Every structure is written in structure tokens, then in C-alpha cells.
Amino acid sequence: MVAAASVVVALGMAAGVLTALGDGDDGDGPSGADRARPKVSATLLAPSTAPSPSLSGSPSASAPTARPTPSPSRTARRPQAAAVTTSLYRHPESQVLDWVRANPADPRTAVIESRIASRPAAVWFTEYAPDTIASRVRAVTAGAARQGRVPVLVAYAIPDRDCGGASEGGAPDLDAYAGWIDGFAAGLGSGEVVVVLEPDSIAQTDCLDEAGRADRLAALARAGRVLKAADPKARVYYDAGHSGWNDPAAQAALLKQAGAASAASSDGIFSNVSNFHRTADEVAYDRRVLDALGGPPGLGAVIDTSRNGNGPPTGGEWCDPDGRSIGRAPTFRTGEARIDAYLWVKLPGESDGCKGAAGEFSPSYAYELASS
């Protein structure tokens, strides 16, 4: 299945504020036909200037063919130890917060504020700006540390990201990317942080030749080692696509080459970033990937639940499909073995490009997701 993520919007950086987290409705149930494109969409700020295309799932490439949904794994592995800090961090700058502050009298504001804007979401770093990446990361991690909360950061600057689709961009080459990762790592500080490392970078490698694929996977392995060496409390997760994409064994083989089975570089995998697949399907899929991956027993998975409350649409629609809903609220308390967290990596309401410009906040879409 070809991957694609929406466009990330670069907003500006600032210090942080907090938010409490709780569990929300999931709406999980039997899933329909799976033809949704893997979408990673823009969530929160990152760079500094105006909107710039980035992110893995994008409105490009032809619709992929469906793959069967994997069945749950019955082999339970010891879940990763709970974090010392159990509350996620909400950065005080995002498009949804900007809209809520600017539109207090809008009849949709109360619903959007309570069900979306109040939730902690990931902060994306998508711009190749090596001179400022450390300070921009540090602004987020320092804000989180002041509140005793855990930030979720998305590193998204791998060369040839999105295979030249709508989210193309990133570092000019892998040597430059290594320097960018070094700067990213320098901003982590010494506290707890979750790093979602390069959405779609492993599941979507069809556009690379064999040598290019091997080079990318080696670069990702190095990135994980650098991040964890810089901050031993950092938890780094690698791209597993989602339950409707690659076969678990095939995905695990790629993940292993990228260092995801090594405790020196990895805490496990992430799935469903900017997509719509039901949490139950992702839990089953992620466990199968982890089984095939091997590695230390503490490896776990995190799942993007931001828009999966009603499951995936039928017919392969991926661009702001109707009838979707927000999923479970972000939390470390999943109650599921080997599932470390449910996260909002894609901020609900940021468009895939059909109900607004790609990566930009659409209040009508946000309201639809929050009230479904």
C-alpha cells in the first residue's frame, strides 16, 4: 500500500502550557473494506514561518489496493513500564487554539474547544532549518518540563519524504539529515518525551531503489540511537504504517533494518498516523508487528486515535472523508498490553486538502469530527 500523509503547517514556536488528559469515546466496532490511504497529516506547529508542505500521507499517488485486516495476536508480551509522568502536554500554539481564541461567539466554538482544542496533540517539526531546530525543539520540551508533562514530538525531515507527493520536502540528503537529527536531539533536554520518528518513512519506501532503501533505514537507525543517547528518558517510536497497509512480517523486516528492534535506538512502533483505522484493528496489527520484530520485551506501540472514532471510510476515500469522528482521547493509560499510548498525532480539523487547504484548520471539518 502506498503511503501518504497530509500537509503539515508550520506555525511558530513558543513556550508551553499544559492540559490534562483523559479517555474519550472510541466508537470501535467491525471495520469495513480497507482502502484508505495511509495519511499523516499536519498536526500543530513546527518550523517558524508560513505553511509549508510536509508530512507523510498526502493527496498524491493512486489509491492503493486493500490488504486483509490482521487477526489479534494471542501472545502477550510484558508491557513497557509506565512512565513516571502520566500526563501529556498540550502546546499553547496551534491553529485550532488560534481559531477558538479568535471566534468566542461562534456557535461551534464550545464543541471544538472542549473536544479538540483542550486535548494534547503532537508538535510537528517539518522544516529543514538546521540552525534553529535545536532551539525550536527546546522551546517545546522546556515548556513541557515546567508543567511536569510529556510532550509528543514528530520528526519529519527525511529526504524524499512522501515519495515526492504533496508532503515532499525535508533535508536535501542523508548527510544533511544526520546533522538535522543531531540538532533535534540537542533540544530534547533531560526529561520524558515521546518522539514519533518520520511517519511513513518505513512503510512507504516503494519509490526508493534497493540501495536507497538501505541507506534510509540505516539513517533512521542512527537517528534513534542519537535521540536516545541525547536523552535517556526519550521514548522513540518507528513507523509501522497501519493495519490496512503492509503485511506485519514484511513491515517488521523493514523495521528491524531501521533499528526498531534495538533498545539502544527504539522503544517500539507507531501506527495509524493521520488515518482512520479502528483502535482494535491497530492493537491487533501492532502486536503482530511486535511479535515479528522481536527485540527486548519492553518494546511497545503507540496509536494515533485522533480521527478513528468511526473507523475508515469505504471506497478508498482518504481526503477529509465525511462521517468520520474523533477517537479516544490521548492517554498513556490504554489498558492494553504492549500498547503504550493513544496519541493525537494528527490534529482533528486540519484538512487533508478537500475541506480546506491542505494542512490548514477548517472549523467546519473540526466541528463535524467533534460532533459525530
Side-chain angles (χ1 to χ4, degrees):
M1 198 166 187
V2 176
S6 337
V7 175
V8 178
V9 172
L11 305 181
M13 262 326 176
V17 152
L18 66 123
T19 191
L21 62 118
D23 293 316
D25 296 332
D26 186 26
D28 284 352
S31 61
D34 177 17
R35 293 184 179 273
R37 172 174 307 186
K39 298 220 53 323
V40 173
S41 112
T43 324
L44 285 206
L45 39 188
S48 49
T49 50
S52 68
S54 61
L55 222 39
S56 58
S58 66
S60 67
S62 57
T65 56
R67 290 189 184 273
T69 300
S71 60
S73 168
R74 302 297 181 187
T75 306
R77 189 180 282 174
R78 179 176 63 83
Q80 183 173 350
V84 175
T85 303
T86 58
S87 293
L88 288 158
Y89 172 70
R90 186 196 67 178
H91 195 282
E93 292 188 15
S94 69
Q95 293 185 85
V96 63
L97 285 169
D98 288 346
W99 184 87
V100 165
R101 292 162 184 156
N103 297 275
D106 191 293
R108 300 166 294 184
T109 296
V111 170
I112 292 173
E113 181 175 22
S114 64
R115 301 211 68 195
I116 296 177
S118 66
R119 304 294 190 186
V123 181
W124 289 79
F125 295 85
T126 68
E127 181 185 36
Y128 177 69
D131 293 339
T132 61
I133 183 62
S135 62
R136 290 186 285 114
V137 171
R138 189 177 299 114
V140 177
T141 57
R146 284 193 292 272
Q147 300 295 337
R149 307 262 168 165
V150 181
V152 178
L153 312 180
V154 182
Y156 192 68
I158 197 79
D160 300 315
R161 69 183 179 204
D162 198 23
C163 287
S167 297
E168 66 180 340
D173 55 49
L174 289 175
D175 286 339
Y177 179 69
W180 186 86
I181 282 291
D182 291 346
F184 191 107
L188 292 178
S190 58
E192 291 181 86
V193 57
V194 171
V195 179
V196 175
L197 182 61
E198 300 294 343
D200 290 2
S201 62
I202 297 174
Q204 184 185 36
T205 57
D206 293 349
C207 61
L208 303 175
D209 60 22
E210 185 176 352
R213 185 178 302 112
D215 288 344
R216 172 182 285 190
L217 298 177
L220 291 169
R222 178 194 181 274
R225 292 193 302 270
V226 168
L227 294 168
K228 291 188 70 64
D231 179 4
K233 292 184 179 178
R235 283 176 279 171
V236 178
Y237 294 90
Y238 281 74
D239 170 40
H242 62 59
S243 58
W245 202 343
N246 294 331
D247 174 80
Q251 187 67 28
L254 294 170
L255 282 159
K256 190 171 295 187
Q257 294 178 61
S262 169
S265 54
S266 169
D267 291 271
I269 60 175
F270 64 83
S271 71
N272 206 43
V273 168
S274 193
N275 217 294
F276 306 92
H277 297 271
R278 295 184 185 274
T279 303
D281 293 338
E282 293 305 299
V283 169
Y285 169 75
D286 288 346
R287 287 174 176 163
R288 292 185 66 187
V289 173
L290 289 168
D291 281 344
L293 181 62
L299 295 184
V302 298
I303 298 169
D304 186 355
T305 59
S306 60
R307 303 191 297 178
N308 73 345
N310 287 341
T314 58
E317 188 178 0
W318 60 267
C319 186
D320 301 332
D322 292 329
R324 301 312 97 201
S325 174
I326 58 175
R328 294 187 180 183
T331 182
F332 288 122
R333 298 181 285 270
T334 69
E336 293 281 355
R338 299 154 74 196
I339 307 301
D340 296 343
Y342 300 136
L343 303 175
W344 281 14
V345 184
K346 158 86 171 180
L347 189 63
E350 290 186 358
S351 176
D352 299 324
C354 293
K355 294 184 177 178
E360 293 186 2
F361 180 74
S362 165
S364 60
Y365 185 33
Y367 183 76
E368 177 186 340
L369 291 166
S371 57
S372 296

